[in-house]
Amino acid sequence: SLPAKLINGGIAGLIGVTCVFPIDLAKTRLQNQQNGQRMYTSLSDCLIKTIRSEGYFGMYRGAAVNLTLVTPEKAIKLAANDFFRHHLSKDGKKLTLLKEMLAGCGAGTCQVIVTTPMEMLKIQLQDAGRIAAQKKLMAAQAQISSSPAAAAAEPAVEKRPTATQITRELLRSKGIAGLYKGLGATLLRDVPFSIVYFPLFANLNKLGQKDPNVKAPFYVSFLSGCVAGSTAAVAVNPCDVVKTRLQSLQRGVNEDTYSGILDCTKKIWQREGPTAFFKGAYCRALVIAPLFGIAQVVYFVGIAEFLLDLLPKHRA
């Protein structure tokens, strides 16, 4: 049923995000780094420096936004894919690869309604620590060069905005369009991702089914979700880099600004080289693999069906 699908998708998203959010934060910070003042050299370096400067909970900056909106996002994504698969297979025949890709395309298109504002707010909160650390480092270097005695003074702590404050400011200055900045880049990332992910997952999952009418074991669904998720994540990473750069409202010292997708792509290619499009690719694979593995296990095991079935029995 639709309520069960929505509940399953929501539970899957909450569990997955809680497990992998620190890696997602590192991915955002690594992708936003441009040539010049680089704060982090790798995933581990980013996480260590974040804990040192912002504490353990600094790794979860922006998690509240993700946890709030990931439920409708994952619910829409998984339920929409099922919806399109169902309507594309009305004749009862097995879905062709093209139809599976079309179903994934529909799911990816539907989810951006929630994904775009979620990513927009999350990126501001995740990257705030990097920009603050960069400003602090630059200030310290400037003080040392001008007056070594002044360098001993502790710089003032900059108060970081909350998701609510960012939302209010965007709505006040730009209206609802402010929350949907980077919509085109989000579509360029999420639609190809879903086109790759859903058919690949479905076919990998079928390999573990002994009978077409019986669900595959949970570990098969988990591994299928991990493999399909990491493959699709790396494949669309260039689009994710462009999306992250476009949605970042604050820039570090001497970092480029962009007017659109083409301008961003051109500047990254010319100033940072083609390898820059794969910044954070391994982080993204590490995030997406368990996230979708967990999501598919929860979704296919059907926790919601179990919970909904208990209600009538309990009443009785």
Side-chain angles (χ1 to χ4, degrees):
S1 66
L2 182 60
K5 288 177 181 179
L6 295 176
I7 294 170
N8 278 335
I11 294 171
L14 290 172
I15 295 171
V17 166
T18 303
C19 293
V20 301
F21 192 84
I23 305 174
D24 186 59
L25 178 137
K27 181 221 55 145
T28 297
R29 293 187 177 185
L30 289 169
Q31 285 183 339
N32 265 335
Q33 286 192 141
Q34 299 180 27
N35 292 338
Q37 190 68 46
R38 301 174 72 85
M39 297 298 302
Y40 315 108
T41 57
S42 64
L43 167 63
S44 57
D45 181 56
C46 181
L47 293 178
I48 290 168
K49 286 180 178 176
T50 299
I51 293 172
R52 285 176 181 170
S53 62
E54 303 170 55
Y56 174 78
F57 290 106
M59 295 191 299
Y60 281 89
R61 280 192 61 82
V65 173
N66 233 29
L67 290 171
T68 302
L69 296 178
V70 76
T71 299
E73 187 229 15
K74 284 288 176 288
I76 290 170
K77 187 185 189 85
L78 295 171
N81 182 64
D82 271 4
F83 173 82
F84 288 117
R85 286 179 70 91
H86 172 72
H87 283 278
L88 288 168
S89 60
K90 277 189 172 181
D91 54 4
K93 295 179 182 178
K94 180 183 174 182
L95 280 176
T96 62
L97 179 60
L98 178 60
K99 287 186 176 182
E100 287 182 332
M101 292 172 72
L102 285 172
C105 178
T109 304
C110 290
Q111 79 169 82
V112 297
I113 297 169
V114 177
T115 304
T116 306
M118 179 183 77
E119 291 276 313
M120 179 71 183
L121 295 172
K122 182 191 73 170
I123 285 170
Q124 314 317 313
L125 297 170
Q126 284 183 330
D127 205 39
R130 179 188 71 89
I131 294 171
Q134 191 186 75
K135 287 180 179 177
K136 186 177 179 181
L137 180 62
M138 295 293 287
Q141 289 173 348
Q143 285 177 341
I144 290 172
S145 61
S146 60
S147 173
E154 189 71 24
V157 178
E158 187 177 338
K159 191 175 180 181
R160 296 172 195 168
T162 64
T164 305
Q165 290 170 336
I166 295 170
T167 303
R168 284 175 180 169
E169 178 58 28
L170 285 170
L171 290 174
R172 185 190 66 79
S173 60
K174 298 181 181 178
I176 194 68
L179 290 173
Y180 281 86
K181 183 181 179 182
L183 174 62
T186 306
L187 278 167
L188 282 177
R189 182 197 67 170
D190 288 349
V191 172
F193 178 93
S194 296
I195 288 173
V196 174
Y197 173 77
F198 283 111
L200 184 56
F201 169 79
N203 286 283
L204 288 173
N205 199 53
K206 282 176 188 174
L207 296 176
Q209 290 179 278
K210 295 180 180 178
D211 187 316
N213 298 317
V214 179
K215 287 181 180 179
F218 78 93
Y219 63 86
V220 173
S221 293
F222 176 76
L223 290 174
S224 299
C226 287
V227 173
S230 57
T231 302
V234 173
V236 302
N237 197 76
C239 299
D240 190 54
V241 172
V242 172
K243 182 200 73 67
T244 300
R245 296 278 182 95
L246 288 174
Q247 288 188 319
S248 297
L249 299 176
Q250 299 294 322
R251 303 288 177 189
V253 180
N254 299 323
E255 290 183 345
D256 291 325
T257 56
Y258 311 104
S259 60
I261 295 171
L262 291 177
D263 180 56
C264 182
T265 305
K266 183 181 177 181
K267 285 180 177 176
I268 292 173
W269 182 278
Q270 290 178 341
R271 299 176 188 182
E272 301 174 60
T275 56
F277 290 105
F278 287 92
K279 283 182 177 180
Y282 64 97
C283 294
R284 185 162 161 74
L286 287 174
V287 169
I288 297 296
L291 181 61
F292 276 83
I294 293 167
Q296 292 294 177
V297 168
V298 173
Y299 195 66
F300 273 78
V301 166
I303 290 176
E305 286 89 337
F306 173 73
L307 293 174
L308 290 172
D309 283 346
L310 286 179
L311 292 176
K313 293 176 184 177
H314 179 70
R315 287 169 187 159

